[in-house]
Amino acid sequence: MKRHLLEAADLDRADATLVLDTAAQIESALAGREVKKLPTLRGRTVVNLFYEDSTRTRISFELAAKRLSADVINFSAKGSSVSKGESLKDTALTLEAMGSDAIVVRHPSSGAPHRLAGWVRGSVVNAGDGTHEHPTQALLDAYTIRRRLGRLDGVRVAVVGDVLHSRVARSNVWLLSTLGAEVTLVAPPTLLPVGVGSWPVQVSYDLDAVLPKADVVMMLRVQLERMNASFFPSAREYSRRYGLDALRLAALGDEAVVMHPGPMNRGMEIAADVADSVRSTIVEQVANGVSVRMAVLYLLLGGASS
Amino acid sequence: MTVLIKGARVLGGDPADLLLDDGRIAAVGGRLSATGATVVDADGLVALPGLVDLHTHLREPGREDAETVETGSRAAALGGFTAVHAMANTDPVADTAGVVEQVWRLGRQSGLVDVVPVGAVTVGLRGERLAELGAMADSAARVRVFSDDGHCVADPALMRRALEYVKAFDGVVAQHAEEPRLTAGAQMNEGDLSARLGLTGWPAAAEEAVVARDVLLAEHVGARLHVCHVSTAGSVEILRWAKSRGVQVTAEVTPHHLLLTEAAAASYDPVFKVNPPLRTDTDVQALRAGLADGTIDAVATDHAPHAVEDKESEWAQARPGMLGLEQALSVVLETLVEPGLLDWAGVADRMAVRPAAIGRLDGHGRPLTPGEPANLLLLDPAARAVVDPAALASRSRNSPYAGRELPGRVVATFLRGEATVLDGKAQK
Ligand SMILES: [Zn+2]
C-alpha cells in the first residue's frame, strides 16, 4: 500500500483486493468477541479533520480507529480557528506538531487531501473531497457487493443519478472497473460529466432498459437544488424517469441488490419500500464501512511501519 | 548617456554596432566608435526592439504585498520589456482619470519601463455602466486601451456602446471573453480531465461564444476590438474568419497558453490555476499556429502576481493567475523560435511592433534604425537556465515555470538609451 489513500483511481487490483481481504479478516477476528477491539494501533493518533459536516462518515472512521486502539482527535472546522480563516496548510502543520500519525480529511474542495499530503509526514485518508472522490465509500461498496454476490469480476453494476456532482460515483467507477465489474452510468445527460466518454463505463439515459441486466443497482442521492439550476425540470419528472420504485424493483433479476450511500431522499430517488426491502444493502453498507476503514487504517499505519 | 553596442545581430542578422545617444539610435553599422561611450560587448547576442506587454497586472494600488509598479517594472525590464500596459483591476479600480494618472506617475518614478495604464470599461468593473472613458483618454496617462479584464463585459448592448464610444479617441476595447453563465464555479478547462479531477469545468464555448459575438459587434459598428488571452482552437478559427472579413479585431495569447496544458492541473497545485484555464494540447498547437500565421497578433503576458497565502491553498480557494514577465521571451523561444514557427523578425513583430500599434504607443515597437528611440534589448539565445522563483524580481513567487529549463537570457534592456538592465541585472 502507498502511504496515503487519496483516490480510488490510485488503487491497483492487488491493493484493492488486499483492503477487502483485510476487512474480511478483521471482521471474522472480531466476530463473537465481547470487546470489539484490537491492539494494533495502540499509541498511534488518528485525526478526523472535517471541513464539512458528515456525522455518519466521521463516526465510522472514529469507530474504526478506536477499534484498533488508536487515539482519536475529532477536529471540526466549525467553531475552530479554521473558521476564522486559518489556512489548510497551517492547520496541517499544527496537527503534525501534535503528533498525528494519520489525518482523515473531509473537505468541500476537490484535491484538498492531495495538498494536505504534500505538507505532512503522516498518512492522509480522503474521506470525501468536493466532487472528486470518496475512496473508502467505494471500498465499502465493493466489499458489500462481494459479500452478497460472492464475486466482483463480471458483476454488472448500474450507478443511477447525479453522477456529475457525485464523488461516490467517481470512486466507484474507478474501483469497480479495476476489480473487474462492468459499470453502467444511468442519468439524464445534464447530470453526466462532459468527459464521461473517456471513463471505463457504459452510459445510458434509460433506467428501464438497464435494470433487467443489472446485478447491482446503486442509487445516488439527488439534491433538490439541482432542480432549481435546471439540471432537470421537476422532482416529479426525475422520480418518474430515474427513481427506483417497487415496479422497477420487480424488473430486477432474482439475485440483484439495491445500494445507496445515504443519506436517502425517500420518495425521490428511492421509494421507501424499496429502501427497506430485502434487496436493499443499505444497513449492511454502514456496518461494512467500519470494517473497511479499519482495514485501511491498519494497512496505512500498522502493516508497514512495525 | 552614450552607449556603443558592439557586434549585435539586429533581428538575428549579421553582427553590427549600434550607437545610442541622447535617447535615440544615432547610428547602426560596422566598426563604429565614439569617445566616452559606455561599450557593451554584444558578441553572439540578438538585438530586438524593446518588448511591449499589452496585459500586465501590477497590483498597485491595493495589493502592494503582491506587486508594486516598481517591482513589476523591474520584472518587466529583466524580461526585455520597455513598455507595459497595467490592467485596471486594482483597488481602487482604474476607472477614473485620477487612478490612471496615479499609476502612470508611479511608472515614471520607477523609470524602468513605460507604464501605460489600461482604463476600466465600466465603473468598478461591474459591467453595468460605462466609466468616464473620455476623461481617462484625455488624462496625462493618455489611455487608449480599455478593459474590464478579470471580468467579461457580458452585456451585449453595453459592449456595443463601449466599442462605439472609444472610437472618438481611437481607443480599443480589450475583452476578457468569458460568458459568465457558462463558467459559474469553473476551476479548469472542461473535458475529460476536469470530470476526472472533480473540478468544475470552464468550457471552450464560453470563450468562443463571446469572441464570436464581439467580432460581429465590432464589424457592425466599425470599431476596434482586442481579444485578451485567447486560449482555444475555436477562438483562433473565429478570429481567422473575422480577419478575412476585414473586421478590425486583434488578439493576444499568453506565454503560458503557448507552453502548458491542462495536464498540470492534475497536481492540484494552484500555481497552475489561471483564467482562462490551461487548455488541451490541440488548443496549444492551434495557438502556436495562429500566432505564427498572424491570426493572433501579439504575445501578452497576463502577468498576475499573487501573495503566497492566495496560492498556497486548496485549488478552489486559490486566486487564478501566473507570473509571466520575466520568462515571456524564453517561452516564445522554446515554443515558436526553436521549432521554426517564428523568426526573429516575427518575434519583434508579435512582442513589440504589433502590441505597440494596438496600444497606439509612439516610440515603442519601432525598427532599430538611426533616428528611432533607443528602446531595445539584447538576448543571448544560446543560454539556458532553470527557473528559480526565489530569484525573480517580482514581489510574488507564483511562477508556473519553477524548476523548468528554458532557453534564452535577456542580457541588456535599454529604455530611451538608458540601460535598465545590464549583464542580466536591473540597473535601478
Ligand atoms: Zn483576463
Side-chain angles (χ1 to χ4, degrees):
Chain A
M1 281 282 283
K2 294 179 176 168
R3 184 153 59 97
H4 310 291
L5 179 59
L6 301 177
E7 50 188 38
D10 258 357
L11 292 169
D12 60 20
R13 194 172 178 127
D15 278 345
T17 306
L18 178 64
V19 174
L20 303 188
D21 291 347
T22 306
Q25 282 166 12
I26 287 171
E27 197 184 317
S28 55
L30 289 175
R33 281 210 197 188
E34 209 160 293
V35 181
K36 294 206 180 296
K37 210 159 181 173
L38 300 170
T40 322
L41 297 185
R42 186 168 291 151
R44 316 297 289 274
T45 301
V46 175
V47 177
N48 284 324
L49 176 58
F50 274 56
Y51 285 79
E52 242 181 26
D53 285 335
S54 176
T55 308
R56 54 167 61 213
T57 303
R58 185 181 55 73
I59 289 175
S60 181
F61 271 107
E62 185 172 353
L63 218 54
K66 284 183 170 164
R67 285 186 180 172
L68 292 167
S69 305
D71 297 322
V72 180
I73 298 168
N74 286 314
F75 199 88
S76 163
K78 282 201 174 147
S80 70
S81 55
V82 169
S83 60
K84 297 183 189 88
E86 184 175 272
S87 73
L88 181 65
K89 183 172 185 179
D90 288 339
T91 303
L93 297 179
T94 301
L95 298 177
E96 178 101 333
M98 290 174 177
S100 74
D101 297 292
I103 299 175
V104 175
V105 60
R106 161 69 69 101
H107 200 287
S109 296
S110 300
H114 290 71
R115 300 289 287 158
L116 203 58
W119 294 324
V120 298
R121 285 186 298 273
S123 293
V124 174
V125 179
N126 180 1
D129 62 329
T131 52
H132 176 227
E133 280 226 33
H134 191 357
T136 58
Q137 176 73 42
L139 285 162
L140 79 86
D141 288 340
Y143 184 78
T144 305
I145 296 169
R146 197 175 74 165
R147 237 167 153 261
R148 274 276 186 129
L149 304 180
R151 67 199 162 95
L152 283 160
D153 230 347
V155 168
R156 292 165 299 187
V157 182
V159 178
V160 186
D162 185 359
V163 177
L164 180 64
H165 302 96
S166 174
R167 51 195 173 210
V168 173
R170 277 176 176 70
S171 288
N172 266 297
V173 163
W174 305 122
L175 185 73
L176 289 173
S177 60
T178 297
L179 291 170
E182 295 166 21
V183 179
T184 303
L185 301 177
V186 187
T190 47
L191 290 176
L192 289 165
V194 156
V196 75
S198 66
W199 291 7
V201 297
Q202 307 279 321
V203 172
S204 172
Y205 310 137
D206 183 353
L207 181 57
D208 291 310
V210 171
L211 286 178
K213 292 171 280 182
D215 301 309
V216 176
V217 184
M218 190 182 290
M219 302 305 294
L220 301 173
R221 178 181 171 81
V222 173
Q223 298 186 327
L224 282 170
E225 65 246 38
R226 307 292 177 221
M227 187 175 78
N228 301 325
S230 288
F231 285 100
F232 51 86
S234 71
R236 190 170 60 177
E237 173 154 327
Y238 183 87
S239 189
R240 275 190 191 151
R241 293 175 67 86
Y242 297 100
L244 193 62
D245 57 10
L247 204 64
R248 285 196 166 117
L249 191 69
L252 289 172
D254 294 340
E255 306 291 310
V257 297
V258 173
M259 307 180 77
H260 194 298
M264 292 177 281
N265 296 305
R266 288 173 183 256
M268 174 72 176
E269 71 266 5
I270 191 164
D273 49 347
V274 175
D276 300 331
S277 79
V278 291
R279 298 293 187 85
S280 161
T281 65
I282 293 165
V283 177
E284 283 164 71
Q285 284 171 271
V286 175
N288 292 340
V290 178
S291 306
V292 163
R293 285 167 182 137
M294 286 177 79
V296 167
L297 290 172
Y298 169 76
L299 290 168
L300 292 179
L301 289 182
S305 70
S306 52
Chain B
M1 186 184 184
T2 307
V3 177
L4 181 59
I5 299 169
K6 299 290 288 180
R9 298 164 53 211
V10 175
L11 299 186
D14 293 332
D17 298 348
L18 290 95
L19 184 65
L20 316 184
D21 186 44
D22 196 24
R24 300 204 165 258
I25 297 171
V28 179
R31 297 176 187 281
L32 299 179
S33 63
T35 46
T38 305
V39 176
V40 177
D41 175 19
D43 186 30
L45 305 185
V46 171
L48 297 171
L51 308 182
V52 176
D53 194 12
L54 280 165
H55 196 141
T56 306
H57 296 275
L58 291 177
R59 304 294 185 222
E60 188 176 9
R63 283 305 301 262
E64 291 83 354
D65 58 324
E67 196 80 285
T68 63
V69 170
E70 181 174 353
T71 58
S73 295
R74 189 167 296 119
L78 286 163
F81 290 88
T82 52
V84 299
H85 287 77
M87 278 295 168
N89 62 338
T90 47
D91 182 15
V93 170
D95 58 0
T96 62
V99 179
V100 294
E101 284 190 351
Q102 180 194 354
V103 172
W104 176 76
R105 286 217 169 80
L106 287 166
R108 295 254 293 202
Q109 279 165 27
S110 92
L112 285 152
V113 291
D114 285 347
V115 174
V116 187
V118 172
V121 178
T122 68
V123 176
L125 310 174
R126 283 193 293 273
E128 291 163 0
R129 57 197 179 85
L130 294 181
E132 289 188 349
L133 307 173
M136 291 188 273
D138 293 342
S139 74
R142 282 192 75 256
V143 175
R144 290 296 176 271
V145 182
F146 298 89
S147 182
D148 275 2
D149 182 58
H151 303 270
C152 183
V153 181
D155 177 341
L158 192 62
M159 185 61 185
R160 174 200 170 143
R161 297 296 175 228
L163 286 165
E164 288 176 315
Y165 193 81
V166 302
K167 284 164 71 176
F169 28 85
D170 197 20
V172 60
V173 179
Q175 176 73 293
H176 171 121
E178 174 184 359
E179 168 46 54
R181 297 281 290 153
L182 290 173
T183 60
Q187 298 291 330
M188 66 171 293
N189 181 49
E190 181 167 88
D192 295 2
L193 190 62
S194 66
R196 183 157 179 165
L197 295 176
L199 293 171
T200 305
W202 199 133
E207 173 176 308
E208 293 153 5
V210 172
V211 175
R213 180 199 78 177
D214 286 354
V215 295
L216 295 174
L217 289 172
E219 179 175 45
H220 182 59
V221 302
R224 283 211 291 145
L225 167 72
H226 179 72
V227 184
C228 294
H229 42 52
V230 168
S231 71
T232 79
S235 292
V236 178
E237 282 304 303
I238 294 163
L239 289 164
R240 197 170 277 132
W241 171 83
K243 287 192 166 185
S244 76
R245 288 169 67 89
V247 179
Q248 294 182 75
V249 58
T250 55
E252 69 189 34
V253 60
T254 72
H256 49 265
H257 286 110
L258 289 169
L259 180 64
L260 306 173
T261 69
E262 61 170 4
S267 66
Y268 289 108
D269 182 346
V271 79
F272 298 110
K273 181 175 171 180
V274 68
N275 187 9
L278 299 174
R279 304 286 189 184
T280 66
D281 190 53
T282 307
D283 295 306
V284 169
Q285 299 308 325
L287 293 168
R288 291 181 186 181
L291 187 72
D293 72 19
T295 302
I296 297 172
D297 299 81
V299 174
T301 66
D302 196 5
H303 177 82
H306 286 298
V308 172
E309 66 271 21
D310 291 326
K311 276 292 191 185
E312 205 158 63
S313 67
E314 304 85 311
W315 181 279
Q317 276 77 350
R319 292 183 186 234
M322 303 170 164
L323 298 184
L325 287 168
E326 289 171 76
Q327 272 70 47
L329 187 51
S330 289
V331 173
V332 170
L333 239 66
E334 167 102 354
T335 57
L336 286 126
V337 178
E338 293 190 344
L341 290 166
L342 214 57
D343 60 13
W344 292 113
V347 173
D349 182 66
R350 308 299 196 277
M351 296 189 80
V353 178
R354 289 214 224 178
I358 292 165
R360 297 292 192 256
L361 294 189
D362 306 328
H364 289 275
R366 304 291 304 163
L368 299 181
T369 53
E372 295 287 352
N375 297 322
L376 68 148
L377 71 98
L378 299 174
L379 174 81
D380 179 359
R384 294 190 73 87
V386 174
V387 178
D388 173 12
L392 297 176
S394 171
R395 188 163 275 189
S396 291
R397 294 288 167 262
N398 54 308
S399 172
Y401 312 119
R404 185 185 277 265
E405 191 186 272
L406 289 172
R409 172 174 177 262
V410 174
V411 175
T413 309
F414 297 91
L415 176 64
R416 284 182 288 277
E418 301 279 337
T420 55
V421 172
L422 215 50
D423 290 330
K425 292 180 185 65
Q427 299 299 292
K428 286 183 190 175

